[in-house]
Amino acid sequence: MRILVLLLLPVWLCSACTALPAEERAFAVALCVEKTAEEWHVHGRIPTYQPGGGYMTVAGEGGSFSAALADMDAASPMRINLSQLRLLAVDVSLAESGGLLNLLTTLSNRRDMRMQCAVALTDEPLQSVAEALKPAAGTRLSKALDLMLNARMEQGSILPATLSDVLRLGERQSPILIALAMAEGDVSLSGGYTADGVYLSVDETALLSLLLGHAKTLRIEVTEGSAEVRDAAVKVCLDEDLARVELTLTATASSLTQEALEQGLADSILGLLTRLSTAGCDVLGLGRQAAMHTHDVTQWQTLNWPEKYRDIRWQVSVGVSGPA
């Protein structure tokens, strides 16, 4: 029995060293990241852990992203933990330079990283964004961000874009990240960005929300007018270099005739999908259908889907019933 106790004691001591009590950690709710020509800058939004509540921003910088995180950790009153992170805001220039995926992969490799955090791109000053992240009266910032994200997704103003989603899609479907802006000192989430930093307006994001089936009811703006729609169903078929998109929905209210709404939606969707495919953004995941016709990894690589996708031709048809 003594031998058993002696063997278990070192193991218990080692686990006690690594298991830092929760009250000795600062749980970041938001993390803002930017890269200048020579340095990385990070800004973490953490609770003050004071009786009156409140939040503070801790910052770090360094020659690498890891060095900047370590510098932020050193500046914090407690060790930073990312297991409660709700929002990751990244400077859009990092996406434009092609460095976004490496950043997201690095973060995903952290043991404490919350993979369900939302990923947003912005061209706003990141320190200002961090300071503007404040909860509504009587609520926690984490809860306020959850409510804001869910409301914007239901409205079709943004698309779901968690760290897990973005990394899971891979090369056979392209993510649309959340667009973050500042409006009168407050953070606004509406519209989107491709992973390469191509901006999408709120109206364009709403169209994609329809095509991807994320919003049950939606207000749609087209060139000639607007409509309230619901019960959207989409069928997408790939035939060689032609992609056919068939959309049916119900209009509950519309400023347009049925024919004008169908034509307006078809024209808007065709223009948007053509623009995205030219930019190499496979938002509908046609790469998944293309992969079904390949038999192994080598054949898929030979297909060179990213380049082939840029030459895709689109055919869009829309059927509207109502308004009812």
Side-chain angles (χ1 to χ4, degrees):
M1 180 62 69
R2 290 181 180 178
I3 294 176
L4 179 61
V5 171
L6 290 174
L7 289 174
L8 291 178
L9 185 58
V11 176
W12 179 85
L13 289 173
C14 290
S15 63
C17 293
T18 57
L20 192 66
E23 61 269 18
E24 295 182 18
R25 299 178 182 177
F27 292 95
V29 181
L31 180 68
C32 303
V33 182
E34 61 185 334
K35 185 180 184 297
T36 61
E38 300 180 354
E39 285 193 320
W40 288 80
H41 299 266
V42 294
H43 307 271
R45 195 68 168 158
I46 64 173
T48 60
Y49 298 103
Q50 298 298 318
Y55 290 81
M56 64 181 290
T57 301
V58 288
E61 59 183 40
S64 66
F65 177 58
S66 297
L69 283 178
D71 190 48
M72 179 181 69
D73 211 39
S76 172
M78 293 175 284
R79 187 173 182 179
I80 298 290
N81 185 284
L82 301 181
S83 63
Q84 298 300 315
L85 198 70
R86 292 311 198 271
L87 178 65
L88 172 65
V90 182
D91 190 288
V92 69
S93 63
L94 191 62
E96 293 169 342
S97 66
L100 180 64
L101 182 58
N102 286 338
L103 169 67
L104 300 184
T105 301
T106 298
L107 280 169
S108 71
N109 289 333
R110 286 180 60 109
R111 294 178 61 184
D112 65 337
M113 186 63 193
R114 183 173 183 268
M115 296 297 290
Q116 290 73 38
C117 75
V119 183
L121 296 182
T122 183
D123 58 3
E124 302 283 358
L126 271 299
Q127 183 173 355
S128 299
V129 170
E131 293 291 341
L133 290 170
K134 300 175 183 178
T139 65
R140 294 173 286 112
L141 180 55
S142 57
K143 183 66 173 180
L145 287 173
D146 286 342
L147 291 173
M148 183 190 303
L149 288 163
N150 289 334
R152 298 296 182 270
M153 283 187 282
E154 289 178 2
Q155 296 165 357
S157 301
I158 63 174
L159 296 174
T162 66
L163 178 58
S164 176
D165 291 335
V166 173
L167 294 179
R168 176 177 51 82
L169 290 178
E171 63 178 353
R172 299 180 184 181
Q173 185 168 0
S174 303
I176 298 296
L177 308 176
I178 299 166
L180 185 154
M182 298 283 290
E184 299 181 354
D186 294 325
V187 169
S188 170
L189 302 176
S190 61
Y193 280 102
T194 69
D196 295 329
V198 177
Y199 175 72
L200 301 178
S201 69
V202 179
D203 291 340
E204 290 175 322
T205 305
L207 287 177
L208 291 181
S209 186
L210 261 187
L211 296 176
L212 294 170
H214 292 307
K216 295 181 180 179
T217 60
L218 203 60
R219 180 177 178 82
I220 291 293
E221 299 282 346
V222 294
T223 304
E224 298 82 4
S226 62
E228 300 281 345
V229 301
R230 61 177 174 84
D231 301 332
V234 181
K235 182 179 180 181
V236 181
C237 296
L238 177 64
D239 183 12
E240 296 296 334
D241 62 346
L242 175 64
R244 296 185 177 89
V245 178
E246 299 177 7
L247 170 66
T248 58
L249 50 81
T250 299
T252 56
S254 177
S255 64
L256 303 168
T257 64
Q258 178 177 325
E259 293 75 12
L261 179 57
E262 290 174 343
Q263 189 62 53
L265 280 171
D267 291 344
S268 296
I269 292 171
L270 178 60
L272 175 59
L273 294 177
T274 301
R275 177 188 171 209
L276 290 176
S277 60
T278 301
C281 179
D282 185 3
V283 65
L284 297 185
L286 292 184
R288 298 181 186 279
Q289 293 193 33
M292 294 175 62
H293 300 290
T294 61
H295 302 289
D296 52 40
V297 174
T298 301
Q299 191 174 359
W300 168 256
Q301 293 173 341
T302 303
L303 180 63
N304 193 11
W305 176 248
E307 288 304 315
K308 181 178 176 62
Y309 177 69
R310 294 177 187 273
D311 296 325
I312 285 289
R313 295 178 296 114
W314 295 93
Q315 185 179 89
V316 179
S317 62
V318 177
V320 175
S321 60

